[in-house]
Amino acid sequence: MTTSRAGASAPATPTQWHDRKRYLWLFGLVPPTAILLAVALVWAFNKVGWQAVAPVWWWIGPLLVYVLLPILDRFFGPDGQNPPDEVMEQLENDRYYRYCVYAYIPFQLLSLVLAGYLWTADTLSWLGIDGGLGLISKIGLAFSIGAMGGVGINAAHELGHKKDELERWLSKITLAQTFYGHFYIEHNRGHHVRVATAEDPASARFAESFWAFLPRSVWGSLRSAWHLERTRLQRLGKRPWTIRNDVLNAWLMSVALWGALAAVFGPEVLPFLVIQAVYGFTLLETVNYLEHYGLLRQRTSSGRYERCAPEHSWNSDHIVTNIFLYHLQRHSDHHANPTRRYQTLRSMDGAPNLPSGYASMITLAYLPPLWRRVMDHRVLAHYDGDITRVNVHPRHRDRVLAKYGAR
């Protein structure tokens, strides 16, 4: 039987145990409000005569993802606290935690509208800027909003797993910014069924670079989502081209949102929307890449894959990124209990652990030689050196088997 890590050994009553992260979850609102902070900082720097430095704040999203979070993860380290069994029901039903996620959405939409205005404005004299934003500032703005959208996909991920109809619709609304509404279908009904198998487009293979994984996961997930919905509707005697198709109605939300922004700010806002969307879903796919790299569920005597277990997901318990990603890094428990709310997820025994938080590993994933130097030996150690138990990329199988041998 799989047990949880720290905190599970000491019995506690609901009145004795306290979630020390309870109010830290509000920091999850930093990504959707970061551009508001950037506007204030640009204004302040221009006001005091630091015009040469001020534009750097339009890059606040990438600075948060690639610089600040890795530093904070390194400084604060792993969490180490798990909710005990005795408090799980009370913690699950505490509505405060879901309100922390709900609050992401209005700030996300507000920041998106503000960014559309900033991108298209001919003059921003009230910010101390002569004329509109320059090209570098515009790209930074798009990447910062894209980072918000990427983290927003994670908020949608949390909501989309729930049985509550409102939360499922909120999930689609959150995905509208990045035009990634099909994620709602593919992740829940595709990825969770096929995770850590060769058939799953969102499970990275050993020796597969992120840059090879990215198009395979993007297009494979899209095709899978359409196939899943078409099959569901066929069982109901309906054609796929209907508003009841959850892929289509999710995409229609994106069309409505992007269309409204184009109507307000003009067609010149469309390049901004495309850039932020591509960067946003690429950030999600980077996380997909590192969550299951090289891990493989074995086939049983019946020919079916074994049940998904903690050892089929890479975990990280670094507290800072966990707060920003609603415990996404406790990924093994999530796959074992998909409907469990983020505040009750636990670090599980038997799960392989990444050397750092997701924020640090994202940068590493962009650099395949460094990624393989850090991760390949960890994959092999997880399988006691048996390369035949690893999810190896078919194109590299002969080379990998020759290098590591077969036991």
Side-chain angles (χ1 to χ4, degrees), residues 300-316:
T300 65
S301 57
S302 67
R304 299 170 65 91
Y305 284 109
E306 63 183 327
R307 185 175 181 180
C308 187
E311 60 261 28
H312 299 125
S313 302
W314 289 99
N315 268 29
S316 172

Side-chain angles (χ1 to χ4, degrees), residues 166-183:
L166 171 63
E167 291 183 300
R168 294 187 176 213
W169 277 101
L170 290 176
S171 175
K172 293 181 183 180
I173 291 171
T174 309
L175 292 167
Q177 174 192 335
T178 48
F179 227 111
Y180 228 56
H182 58 279
F183 173 84

Side-chain angles (χ1 to χ4, degrees), residues 25-39 60-61 64-65 69 99-115 141 143-156 174 177 323-326:
W25 294 115
L26 293 172
F27 280 103
L29 297 179
V30 168
T33 58
I35 204 64
L36 305 178
L37 176 61
V39 169
I60 194 169
L64 177 67
V65 172
L69 285 181
Y99 295 149
C100 289
V101 183
Y102 294 172
Y104 194 101
I105 302 170
F107 285 115
Q108 176 188 11
L109 295 174
L110 173 63
S111 292
L112 182 63
V113 171
L114 173 60
L141 175 66
F143 273 43
S144 291
I145 293 299
M148 176 188 75
V151 178
I153 296 176
N154 181 61
T174 309
Q177 174 192 335
I323 288 169
F324 277 78
L325 295 181
Y326 305 113

Side-chain angles (χ1 to χ4, degrees), residues 53-254:
V53 182
V56 75
W57 294 116
W58 298 123
W59 293 82
I60 194 169
L63 288 172
L64 177 67
V65 172
Y66 302 120
V67 180
L68 183 59
L69 285 181
I71 291 173
L72 293 177
D73 267 341
R74 181 74 176 175
F75 182 79
F76 288 101
D79 182 347
Q81 185 193 44
N82 274 343
D85 292 339
E86 293 78 8
V87 304
M88 292 290 277
E89 183 178 359
Q90 175 181 302
L91 197 60
E92 182 81 13
N93 293 325
D94 189 337
R95 299 186 70 87
Y96 162 80
Y97 292 95
R98 66 188 72 180
Y99 295 149
C100 289
V101 183
Y102 294 172
Y104 194 101
I105 302 170
F107 285 115
Q108 176 188 11
L109 295 174
L110 173 63
S111 292
L112 182 63
V113 171
L114 173 60
Y117 158 71
L118 293 169
W119 177 279
T120 56
D122 293 327
T123 178
L124 293 169
S125 56
W126 61 277
L127 276 176
I129 299 173
D130 294 331
L133 294 181
L135 178 60
I136 301 302
S137 294
K138 282 188 173 184
I139 294 173
L141 175 66
F143 273 43
S144 291
I145 293 299
M148 176 188 75
V151 178
I153 296 176
N154 181 61
H157 165 262
E158 170 66 22
L159 295 167
H161 272 294
K162 304 305 174 283
K163 298 178 181 179
D164 185 276
E165 191 67 23
L166 171 63
E167 291 183 300
R168 294 187 176 213
W169 277 101
L170 290 176
S171 175
K172 293 181 183 180
I173 291 171
T174 309
L175 292 167
Q177 174 192 335
T178 48
F179 227 111
Y180 228 56
H182 58 279
F183 173 84
Y184 169 82
I185 297 299
E186 163 55 19
H187 181 83
N188 294 319
R189 289 160 44 198
H191 174 65
H192 271 262
V193 174
R194 300 181 300 242
V195 62
T197 70
E199 291 78 25
D200 181 29
S203 291
R205 300 158 178 172
F206 189 87
E208 179 179 34
S209 74
F210 166 70
W211 304 107
F213 167 82
L214 178 61
R216 182 173 72 85
S217 184
V218 170
W219 297 113
S221 297
L222 193 157
R223 287 194 301 267
S224 176
W226 183 260
H227 173 75
L228 288 166
E229 268 301 271
R230 184 179 61 188
T231 302
R232 181 184 71 86
L233 291 166
Q234 283 176 345
R235 291 192 186 118
L236 298 174
K238 300 183 182 299
R239 295 181 180 274
W241 299 99
T242 170
I243 194 65
R244 295 187 181 183
N245 184 322
D246 281 331
V247 174
L248 290 181
N249 60 49
W251 285 347
L252 283 173
M253 289 186 182
S254 294

